[in-house]
Amino acid sequence: MAAGSFPPSKPDWSNLSVLHRNTLPPRANFFNYSTKEDALTYFATNSKALSLNGTWKFNFAESPFKAPSKFFQNGFDTSKWSDIPVPSMWQLEGFGKPHYTNIVYPFHVDPPNVPFDNNQTGSYVRNFTVPESFSGSQLRLRFEGVDSAFHVWVNGKEVGYSQGARNPSEFDITEYVVEKGENVLAVRVYQFSDGSYIEDQDQWWLSGIFRDVNLLAFPKNHIQDFFAKPELDPDYVNATLSVKVDINSSEAVSLSLLDSDKKSVIVEETKSRSDSNSISFSIPITNPHKWTAEDPYLYHLLLTSGHQTLSQRIGFRSIELKDGLILVNGKRIVLRGVNRHEHHPTKGRAVPYDFLRNDLLLMKTHNINALRTSHQPNDPRLYDLADELGLWVMDEADLECHGFDSIHEASLPENEQSKSFEEKKAITYGRAGKWLSDNPEWEEAYLDRAKQLVHRDKNHPCVIMWSLGNEAFYGQNFKSMYKWIKEFDSSRLVHYEGDVKAETTDCFSMMYPKVEIILDFAKEWKDQQEPRKPMILCEYAHAMGNGPGSFKEYLDAFYNNPCLQGGFVWEWANHGLKAKNADGEAYYAYGGDFGDIPNDYNFVMDGLLFSDHTPTPGLTEYKKAIAPIQLVSGSKGSVEVVNRYDFIDLSHLNCNYSIIGDGFVQQGGPLLVPEIHAGKIGIIDIPQFEVQKKGVETFMLLTFTLKERTPWAPAGHEITTIQYQLFPAPYQPKEKATPGSSTAVTQLSDYELEIKGSKSTWRFDLVKGALTSWSNSTSNELLSLGPHLTFNRAHTDNDCRVGLEWKSKYIHLMKSYTKSVTWTSTPQTVTIKCSQQIAPPVLEWSVDAEFIYQFFDDTVAISVSGTPQGQNLPKTLPRIGLEMELVHDFNTCSYFGRGPGEGYTDKKLSQNFGTYTLPIEKLHTPYEFPQENGNRTDVRWVKLLGGDKGSVGLKARFVNRPKGFDFAASHYRTEDIEKSQHPYELEKCRRKEVIVRLDEAHMGLGSASCGPGVLPQYALESKPFRFEVVLSSF
């Protein structure tokens, strides 16, 4: 009887004892050059490297066992296979489908085992020829990133295996290659491996050879690796350049350090190896120019041995934990950072260089000084750019296993399911950590992630902190990682948020705390007799959809408390993938759009950039909040500012002033900016001037720009603006009827009144208690729907918690119920008084409202008072205001207030006061998940314009509200936005009419999609209100 077993042996990709087969030890990222001149270009194209990027033959299978078994053999026919570009992710090239989860694993949890089926497998083949110049060299095959694991064959022979999706893998293939003639390279890539259990990051599950592949030529006798450590003396003045060079021969190594011009030689030294396999240099450098994120001054290191030359950018700087603070070059720094996932809307994590570079340029031009490589080592080219442009980098290991928490949270008894997130976390995280992080069987896998990270990026000055991973709980394996890193590299600090007691990290770290929580930490830190470690927020201000709110409160906490050293906003960009719906309409897809189950829906759309990496309003707000120049106080003759740079003064900036008023802009001129050293307050004098327009609200506007070009921006780039009020708005009483004018009221039927003024005609529905028609001498009809009191808004992503209460209280279904209407008239004015309840179905609570309409000339003044009452009254309301719809002729708006972009009570500081004119279309912010948007705040007046060149218009202002009101104008009703899940669905709901909101108050935004809700000072409590709006047609 026949017998057998399947599989015949344990697959490498499901075997914890096999992390790599036949890979070379991890090393620093460098290329070999033949000359110093080539080395100083840093171009891979000038090095001894042959790029194997390009078109490969490709076969897709649903299982490793169903992939072609002999595809790697010479002569195997791949002519009928598909083509695929390398680098790429195969799900974005038409094979399989993307799958998004935030926390949970998309497969059955049984570590280290992964599925035999539903484990997509890609087989890649390409040919290559060894360049003649590589003859006689050691030939290495280097993959910068393959997700998740892979085997390699050359000319039919197995070379090896590796896993660790976002780490490099390098193989010596010298013995497998023919130097003359074609070679066949075959690679089999597995979507899932045992490594996937520690690659459970909040991103798309995508697969393939997604970073560069190179054939590298090393001389037979060569430098294998090097570690360059620029170290400053205790006074942070002089330095020592320590360089340890690992070499496999007895050849001498020459070291040259060049200045930033790549010509001036600072020092040269040559050494030969003694008994060990390394050579160490220790070279004193007198007062080198120091490297910081604000002044990224780079030297250039050349190492030469025989025919091999290497180059490395060198920045002299020190990082230390001293007196309870993180210091760089002896000074406290504040991290004004972002978390950056690798993302491209059509290529996934296979991010092109220009796209990557543009990301970092956007960071610099938006005042960002730090990035966290969430949650894996990024493309190695990022670190070169960060060295040159100036960014502090928290470099994070490719390690997350958040999904194990789902197991233990799901198993909580019913009485514990209702606990808060933090309470449940205290119960489940310890249990979840036992699976991997506190499991000695996984120690080598964890250590491998640390070693790969540190070895590759150890020579970059931008890297100031290693991060052990993300959301992987805590246990002995993290202690092992910390111990190894500290023994290998004592020159940097170590971070890991999961170590809540900071036992084996150099700082405390938190995600999404309330401001009061970090202020409590700061108080305890200050009260400690012994120095305590500082705090970093590795994730805060969750930037999902319309938000986040309250940047200012966090930044004030950072700068008012030395132990709070900044943080990283979550996150840099939405991860939407460009797709088309059934009608061929393009949109950016999120979880579930590809039929991927289970999924975490639109939680992947949580960035400061849209999916195409253009800025959202959130990034504009962040730029303002973290600007290095902030207002202290201002007057007509001077302004007091604080320099929030960590190192440099303000002498590199120009400043111009202008006067902004209601309906005018008066240009001023340049101002002399004193040096004002980092962290200090200084005064900028303003020359005497006369305001051209008297008796109107007026503001001073200062604009700070770069004097000279930098590597990241041209001269004249705007760093920030500062604005403050010079003269308040004069009191504006309510309009009165024109003397001699007449206004009369006629009852047309039992339920309808007609009011005729000298310039306008109105109709009022007595049953609805509402204005239903308004025509004037220049227009047949202005209104499609008259003003009515409403409270709802389309929920934002950050309304996820408070929105549940709003919906449970049926705010979205509230209607007006008329109780009584009375009217009176004088020769010039008609007054209508209306009592209403605005109430939801099902429940008893309501807003009892009184309206007083006064009609005269071309004006309606509407006075509104309301009293929320009832036992089911919600704690807060989304907004309070009048809503109406104008006929389609209206297409433009003009207003005086904050702009030109959207603003909310806790997201408005980036919007300066001015008079703005915009098409109605431009008031809308096209969030990739439709939601409340486009609000303008602190508005003094607004005009809605239509007809030929604005010949028809309606002006609105609030009476006696010096701080203004909120308004929005759009072609989308709230219910249309609420029901739409993608912009193309919303576009189908577009109406010709213009929906206008005039709000007495509007709830803030907060960041409750993953973090705190709206701060109390920005919450709109359910309490009595009163306001008066004046509407005038023209």
Side-chain angles (χ1 to χ4, degrees):
M1 181 180 290
S5 64
F6 178 83
S9 61
K10 197 169 189 178
D12 289 345
W13 43 266
S14 192
N15 186 348
L16 187 56
S17 64
V18 179
L19 302 178
H20 310 281
R21 287 188 190 276
N22 205 30
T23 55
L24 293 167
R27 65 169 175 87
N29 186 70
F30 62 83
F31 289 94
N32 299 314
Y33 297 89
S34 299
T35 68
K36 293 181 178 180
E37 291 74 20
D38 284 343
L40 288 170
T41 68
Y42 294 98
F43 294 149
T45 50
N46 290 344
S47 73
K48 301 295 285 293
L50 173 67
S51 174
L52 298 181
N53 295 349
T55 302
W56 294 47
K57 303 303 289 184
F58 182 74
N59 174 273
F60 174 78
E62 291 289 351
S63 165
F65 300 105
K66 294 182 179 181
S69 59
K70 304 295 183 182
F71 81 105
F72 51 82
Q73 292 181 343
N74 287 346
F76 186 91
D77 184 8
T78 61
S79 61
K80 295 183 180 179
W81 283 19
S82 301
D83 290 339
I84 196 169
V86 171
S88 69
M89 321 295 297
W90 69 59
Q91 290 88 351
L92 302 180
E93 300 297 331
F95 306 96
K97 62 186 180 184
H99 192 151
Y100 168 62
T101 64
N102 168 28
I103 297 173
V104 302
Y105 293 101
F107 47 77
H108 174 63
V109 180
D110 180 28
N113 304 303
V114 291
F116 286 179
D117 201 4
N118 296 319
N119 185 1
Q120 298 174 17
T121 302
S123 300
Y124 294 76
V125 175
R126 71 154 293 159
N127 295 348
F128 69 91
T129 302
V130 179
E132 288 185 15
S133 61
F134 289 13
S135 179
S137 301
Q138 181 199 50
L139 298 178
R140 298 185 180 188
L141 181 62
R142 185 174 177 89
F143 297 84
E144 296 297 346
V146 181
D147 200 329
S148 158
F150 65 107
H151 281 98
V152 182
W153 295 263
V154 172
N155 293 330
K157 296 179 181 179
E158 183 173 338
V159 174
Y161 166 85
S162 192
Q163 64 186 54
R166 296 106 202 184
N167 294 316
S169 300
E170 194 166 56
F171 303 88
D172 182 351
I173 62 169
T174 309
E175 63 181 90
Y176 303 94
V177 170
V178 295
E179 289 195 353
K180 295 183 179 180
E182 280 202 330
N183 295 273
V184 179
L185 171 59
V187 182
R188 177 170 288 159
V189 180
Y190 313 101
Q191 181 182 26
F192 300 128
S193 69
D194 54 89
S196 299
Y197 282 102
I198 52 175
E199 294 168 356
D200 183 32
Q201 291 94 345
D202 175 12
Q203 58 187 358
W204 294 97
W205 293 89
L206 299 171
S207 317
I209 305 173
F210 72 97
R211 290 186 186 154
D212 291 341
V213 184
N214 285 297
L215 179 69
L216 306 175
F218 277 66
K220 292 295 185 183
N221 298 319
H222 59 261
I223 297 171
Q224 296 176 309
D225 198 6
F226 69 98
F227 188 6
K229 288 200 291 186
E231 300 169 313
L232 302 186
D233 66 16
D235 297 321
Y236 313 105
V237 176
N238 299 319
T240 300
L241 178 61
S242 300
V243 183
K244 181 175 179 287
V245 182
D246 296 330
I247 189 166
N248 74 342
S249 73
S250 58
E251 289 207 35
V253 174
S254 296
L255 177 152
S256 299
L257 183 68
L258 307 184
D259 210 335
S260 62
D261 61 4
K262 300 182 181 180
K263 297 176 182 178
S264 305
V265 178
I266 305 299
V267 67
E268 289 183 323
E269 189 171 321
T270 300
K271 280 190 174 183
S272 297
R273 193 182 81 179
S274 54
D275 295 333
S276 67
N277 293 322
S278 65
I279 298 172
S280 293
F281 296 86
S282 183
I283 302 171
I285 307 293
T286 302
N287 195 18
H289 196 131
K290 313 305 185 293
W291 188 96
T292 69
E294 296 166 6
D295 182 15
Y297 192 94
L298 292 172
Y299 294 82
H300 300 275
L301 175 69
L302 294 172
L303 296 173
T304 301
S305 180
H307 299 291
Q308 178 190 24
T309 297
L310 319 177
S311 56
Q312 176 64 47
R313 300 168 181 86
I314 296 292
F316 285 92
R317 52 98 185 98
S318 70
I319 306 104
E320 61 188 324
L321 182 64
K322 186 176 180 180
D323 298 329
L325 297 176
I326 296 169
L327 305 182
V328 175
N329 302 344
K331 294 186 176 182
R332 171 185 178 264
I333 62 169
V334 175
L335 300 172
R336 307 189 300 270
V338 290
N339 283 274
R340 178 187 178 271
H341 267 297
E342 294 181 291
H343 167 266
H344 185 278
T346 63
K347 301 178 184 296
R349 286 187 288 281
V351 180
Y353 175 78
D354 288 344
F355 200 81
L356 160 63
R357 185 173 185 272
N358 188 64
D359 267 3
L360 269 60
L361 290 175
L362 276 173
M363 290 179 193
K364 290 292 292 186
T365 54
H366 285 80
N367 297 325
I368 290 164
N369 71 357
L371 71 93
R372 178 185 180 213
T373 65
S374 51
H375 297 295
Q376 63 260 335
N378 279 199
D379 185 317
R381 297 172 296 183
L382 175 143
Y383 304 83
D384 295 331
L385 286 167
D387 289 342
E388 293 178 325
L389 299 176
L391 286 162
W392 310 120
V393 174
M394 177 186 283
D395 203 5
E396 190 151 273
D398 186 13
L399 201 164
E400 179 171 340
C401 55
H402 200 177
F404 288 99
D405 180 55
S406 301
I407 296 169
H408 295 284
E409 183 173 348
S411 67
L412 288 174
E414 187 174 344
N415 66 318
E416 293 182 341
Q417 288 286 354
S418 60
K419 291 180 180 292
S420 70
F421 170 76
E422 289 297 331
E423 289 172 329
K424 288 191 285 188
K425 179 179 172 180
I427 298 169
T428 60
Y429 269 38
R431 299 170 185 174
K434 297 295 183 185
W435 287 83
L436 307 185
S437 296
D438 204 32
N439 183 346
E441 293 180 1
W442 283 79
E443 181 180 28
E444 283 304 314
Y446 276 56
L447 277 172
D448 181 64
R449 302 294 167 125
K451 293 176 181 178
Q452 295 282 356
L453 168 77
V454 174
H455 276 297
R456 194 195 71 168
D457 299 334
K458 61 197 171 194
N459 292 320
H460 286 282
C462 65
V463 177
I464 62 169
M465 191 175 292
W466 305 115
S467 181
L468 304 182
N470 182 68
E471 292 179 322
F473 323 112
Y474 191 59
Q476 64 183 37
N477 295 335
F478 283 111
K479 295 178 182 179
S480 297
M481 294 172 74
Y482 178 83
K483 182 176 182 292
W484 181 87
I485 290 175
K486 282 297 188 179
E487 289 174 351
F488 182 82
D489 179 19
S490 61
S491 68
R492 294 180 174 92
L493 304 183
V494 174
H495 163 272
Y496 178 57
E497 179 269 342
D499 180 3
V500 294
K501 296 180 180 179
E503 296 176 22
T504 50
T505 66
D506 295 312
C507 62
F508 288 89
S509 180
M510 295 187 75
M511 294 182 177
Y512 312 110
K514 296 180 179 179
V515 174
E516 60 260 36
I517 296 295
I518 62 173
L519 291 177
D520 288 344
F521 174 91
K523 184 178 184 303
E524 292 177 12
W525 184 91
K526 188 177 181 180
D527 292 342
Q528 293 287 324
Q529 292 185 351
E530 294 294 325
R532 192 183 183 198
K533 295 174 183 178
M535 169 75 75
I536 284 174
L537 304 187
C538 66
E539 296 177 20
Y540 81 110
H542 196 254
M544 189 172 183
N546 189 351
S550 301
F551 275 133
K552 181 182 184 300
E553 284 72 18
Y554 283 101
L555 269 295
D556 286 348
F558 298 159
Y559 282 98
N560 292 333
N561 299 277
C563 65
L564 304 179
Q565 295 199 244
F568 302 86
V569 169
W570 186 268
E571 67 174 306
W572 177 236
N574 289 356
H575 295 212
L577 296 175
K578 199 167 188 178
K580 290 186 176 180
N581 65 10
D583 297 325
E585 297 168 299
Y587 71 103
Y588 290 103
Y590 48 76
D593 282 337
F594 298 102
D596 44 317
I597 299 173
N599 66 75
D600 284 293
Y601 198 45
N602 71 322
F603 205 66
V604 78
M605 310 292 253
D606 53 1
L608 294 169
L609 301 181
F610 292 110
S611 294
D612 64 358
H613 287 227
T614 56
T616 70
L619 181 59
T620 305
E621 187 76 2
Y622 192 41
K623 176 184 179 180
K624 175 69 173 183
I626 62 176
I629 308 100
Q630 296 285 338
L631 174 68
V632 177
S633 64
S635 65
K636 187 179 178 183
S638 66
V639 58
E640 191 174 28
V641 298
V642 60
N643 175 2
R644 282 187 172 175
Y645 284 112
D646 295 319
F647 295 91
I648 61 176
D649 61 36
L650 300 186
S651 59
H652 65 295
L653 298 178
N654 285 325
C655 180
N656 277 270
Y657 79 98
S658 56
I659 314 302
I660 309 294
D662 186 347
F664 76 95
V665 176
Q666 178 180 330
Q667 296 300 329
L671 300 176
L672 178 63
V673 181
E675 283 190 350
I676 310 180
H677 293 288
K680 301 299 182 181
I681 293 174
I683 293 175
I684 300 174
D685 292 323
I686 301 171
Q688 288 187 347
F689 62 89
E690 290 297 322
V691 177
Q692 294 173 356
K693 191 173 182 181
K694 309 288 187 180
V696 298
E697 188 174 12
T698 307
F699 294 85
M700 172 65 71
L701 179 67
L702 306 180
T703 303
F704 293 86
T705 58
L706 291 175
K707 281 183 181 177
E708 300 176 356
R709 68 173 299 277
T710 70
W712 47 270
H717 164 74
E718 182 182 295
I719 298 296
T720 192
T721 61
I722 284 177
Q723 190 177 54
Y724 56 91
Q725 191 181 65
L726 289 175
F727 305 110
Y731 174 72
Q732 291 183 315
K734 186 169 65 176
E735 285 88 340
K736 294 181 179 180
T738 304
S741 65
S742 64
T743 304
V745 58
T746 304
Q747 186 166 358
L748 299 180
S749 68
D750 290 344
Y751 62 85
E752 189 174 35
L753 302 178
E754 181 180 73
I755 302 99
K756 281 193 173 183
S758 57
K759 299 178 182 178
S760 290
T761 301
W762 301 271
R763 289 196 175 188
F764 192 91
D765 189 310
L766 297 171
V767 175
K768 294 180 178 178
L771 185 65
T772 57
S773 175
W774 185 345
S775 58
N776 65 13
S777 58
T778 59
S779 173
N780 292 328
E781 180 60 65
L782 301 177
L783 297 180
S784 174
L785 181 66
H788 53 291
L789 184 61
T790 61
F791 303 95
N792 195 29
R793 73 181 183 194
H795 290 184
T796 69
D797 289 313
N798 291 308
D799 288 338
C800 56
R801 293 203 298 266
V802 69
L804 294 176
E805 186 200 20
W806 292 342
K807 283 195 173 180
S808 72
K809 304 300 185 180
Y810 298 98
I811 290 177
H812 59 297
L813 297 180
M814 292 179 77
K815 292 184 178 180
S816 299
Y817 298 91
T818 302
K819 299 298 182 182
S820 65
V821 181
T822 62
W823 61 94
T824 60
S825 65
T826 68
Q828 295 177 329
T829 304
V830 171
T831 301
I832 298 176
K833 295 182 179 181
C834 178
S835 294
Q836 289 186 333
Q837 273 191 331
I838 295 85
V842 182
L843 302 177
E844 91 307 336
W845 76 274
S846 66
V847 176
D848 296 343
E850 300 290 330
F851 299 83
I852 301 175
Y853 293 81
Q854 290 184 297
F855 300 85
F856 53 88
D857 295 341
D858 54 5
T859 297
V860 181
I862 307 173
S863 175
V864 183
S865 61
T867 303
Q869 59 83 33
Q871 64 182 18
N872 282 293
L873 185 67
K875 295 177 183 177
T876 60
L877 297 171
R879 39 174 289 278
I880 299 171
L882 297 179
E883 189 170 346
M884 59 185 174
E885 295 184 11
L886 306 182
V887 296
H888 69 273
D889 287 347
F890 288 88
N891 50 43
T892 305
C893 89
S894 180
Y895 70 97
F896 181 57
R898 289 189 182 271
E902 68 182 22
Y904 295 81
T905 56
D906 57 356
K907 194 189 84 169
K908 66 181 182 180
L909 298 183
S910 59
Q911 304 303 312
N912 287 323
F913 286 94
T915 304
Y916 301 100
T917 300
L918 295 165
I920 299 295
E921 300 281 359
K922 294 297 184 181
L923 297 176
H924 177 76
T925 302
Y927 289 107
E928 290 163 348
F929 189 94
Q931 56 197 277
E932 158 64 33
N933 74 87
N935 190 69
R936 266 60 180 176
T937 193
D938 295 344
V939 174
R940 283 28 175 179
W941 54 260
V942 59
K943 294 178 182 177
L944 287 307
L945 307 170
D948 183 27
K949 297 181 180 180
S951 58
V952 178
L954 189 68
K955 180 180 179 180
R957 72 174 183 88
F958 278 54
V959 175
N960 196 26
R961 286 183 66 88
K963 293 186 177 180
F965 60 96
D966 286 28
F967 93 89
S970 168
H971 290 289
Y972 306 102
R973 287 180 178 170
T974 297
E975 58 266 31
D976 295 333
I977 299 173
E978 188 76 8
K979 71 182 181 183
S980 299
Q981 299 179 70
H982 300 90
Y984 69 82
E985 295 165 334
L986 180 59
E987 186 58 29
K988 290 178 172 62
C989 300
R990 187 185 186 280
R991 299 174 187 273
K992 293 180 180 179
E993 298 82 11
V994 177
I995 296 92
V996 178
R997 291 188 326 222
L998 302 170
D999 288 348
E1000 185 267 344
H1002 199 116
M1003 179 87 162
L1005 298 170
S1007 58
S1009 53
C1010 188
V1014 176
L1015 292 177
Q1017 61 266 41
Y1018 304 122
L1020 179 52
E1021 297 178 358
S1022 298
K1023 59 184 182 182
F1025 58 87
R1026 181 184 299 273
F1027 63 90
E1028 186 169 4
V1029 179
V1030 178
L1031 303 176
S1032 301
S1033 70
F1034 56 89

